[in-house]
Amino acid sequence: MFRNMYDTDVTVWSPEGRLLQVEYAMESVKQGSACIALRSSTHSVIGALKRSVSELSTHQQKILEIDDHLGIGIAGLTADARTLAKWMRNECLNHKYVYGTAMPTGRLATDLADRHQRTTQTYVRRPYGVGLLLASFDKNGPHVYQTCPSGNVYECYATAIGARSQSGRTYLEKHHESFPECSKDDLIMHALRALVGCVSGDGELTSENGSIAVVGKGEKFTLIEGAELKPYLDRLELEGGNNAGDEEEKEESEADDDDAMET
């Protein structure tokens, strides 16, 4: 049996019990630039790497504000993410108009997952090719949710999605126990340290390709980019976190030179 016999439509099951079109949509999330999210007891933070299609273009926006208390980070097809963001903003506005309060993040995350799932049961539509990270602070405290093109939704202490996100996920798993007690600035620094490992090749995390958003108790959703992000990157560079690999190579080359001089 050939794989391409069962991937022509999203409603066709393969003999192994798989929906291949949904799996392909999940692969598109892995091709998107990395995005991470984490939370403490008082704040939620999103970090993302932005891409530009050429040297002549600006970087694509990776973090979108949904409401004063909520924002999303995206990995995958940006056009699909814009469509979902528009729907989420309408849901938040409708809830605020009817009930007079901000929409609970858990309810919105569940409704969003249902919207993802509906596209996997209808042959006239394709699955959304984007994964979302929701970061918010509502009456129940800070939250981080992850959604998937398959319709799954997870609440997390910290998570990472996108290309080369495994490095960032490893960092988050290693340090997540300290996150609840972190201050806002410390949480942002953890997000940047996790992002550094997701940068491709010889690239470097800069104020142009990096993006951070934070929301917390008594603090609206705020995007930190460009000049506002520079102080955090300077602090990261002083720690040796942004170019640790280059420094190690430099130290190794200096050691080789010393050995050559000794001989």
Side-chain angles (χ1 to χ4, degrees):
M1 296 183 182
F2 297 101
R3 183 185 180 97
N4 60 5
M5 293 173 59
Y6 303 98
D7 66 356
T8 56
D9 196 281
V10 72
T11 61
V12 177
W13 291 95
S14 74
E16 296 85 9
R18 297 159 65 184
L19 293 172
L20 298 178
Q21 283 287 326
V22 177
E23 293 183 14
Y24 297 161
M26 295 168 68
E27 284 296 319
S28 72
V29 177
K30 298 179 182 178
Q31 302 300 320
S33 55
C35 185
I36 66 108
L38 62 161
R39 64 181 173 92
S40 67
S41 58
T42 57
H43 290 82
S44 297
V45 170
I46 301 177
L49 289 175
K50 297 186 292 185
R51 283 178 180 169
S52 61
V53 294
S54 72
E55 294 182 359
L56 301 178
S57 68
T58 59
H59 289 78
Q60 286 187 326
Q61 198 70 21
K62 290 279 294 180
I63 299 177
L64 306 175
E65 181 179 355
I66 302 301
D67 202 352
D68 290 341
H69 72 296
L70 168 68
I72 60 172
I74 64 175
L77 299 180
T78 307
D80 285 5
R82 287 201 310 269
T83 300
L84 290 173
K86 182 178 180 180
W87 172 82
M88 293 170 71
R89 289 176 182 132
N90 285 334
E91 289 295 302
C92 288
L93 285 172
N94 290 338
H95 188 278
K96 190 174 291 186
Y97 178 77
V98 174
Y99 299 103
T101 60
M103 187 170 189
T105 313
R107 183 182 301 175
L108 182 62
T110 303
D111 290 347
L112 176 62
D114 290 343
R115 193 172 180 86
H116 274 292
Q117 195 275 336
R118 279 196 294 272
T119 63
T120 68
Q121 284 188 298
T122 309
Y123 74 92
V124 295
R125 299 194 64 183
R126 65 164 176 81
Y128 290 103
V130 63
L132 302 181
L133 297 182
L134 286 72
S136 72
F137 188 95
D138 57 23
K139 62 182 180 180
N140 297 318
H143 301 280
V144 168
Y145 289 91
Q146 175 186 345
T147 67
C148 175
S150 64
N152 289 325
V153 59
Y154 314 95
E155 185 171 10
C156 314
Y157 294 108
T159 187
I161 58 175
R164 292 173 296 278
S165 61
Q166 182 57 50
S167 176
R169 197 177 299 114
T170 300
Y171 176 89
L172 296 172
E173 290 172 354
K174 185 177 180 181
H175 296 89
H176 77 277
E177 292 181 356
S178 65
F179 293 165
E181 307 303 323
C182 285
S183 65
K184 169 186 165 183
D185 288 345
D186 289 340
L187 206 62
I188 291 174
M189 291 306 301
H190 278 301
L192 292 175
R193 293 186 195 107
L195 278 180
V196 167
C198 304
V199 180
S200 61
D202 298 328
E204 190 173 301
L205 184 63
T206 66
S207 56
E208 284 78 27
N209 67 2
S211 183
I212 294 287
V214 60
V215 62
K217 188 174 183 180
E219 184 176 349
K220 293 182 178 181
F221 187 85
T222 305
L223 193 61
I224 304 174
E225 291 181 323
E228 295 179 353
L229 186 61
K230 196 70 168 64
Y232 296 101
L233 294 175
D234 291 342
R235 177 178 167 185
L236 183 66
E237 191 167 351
L238 288 174
E239 296 176 357
N242 206 3
N243 52 2
D246 296 339
E247 290 181 357
E248 289 175 2
E249 291 177 1
K250 185 177 180 181
E251 289 174 0
E252 290 175 0
S253 64
E254 288 176 353
D256 293 340
D257 292 341
D258 292 341
D259 292 340
M261 290 176 67
E262 289 175 1
T263 56

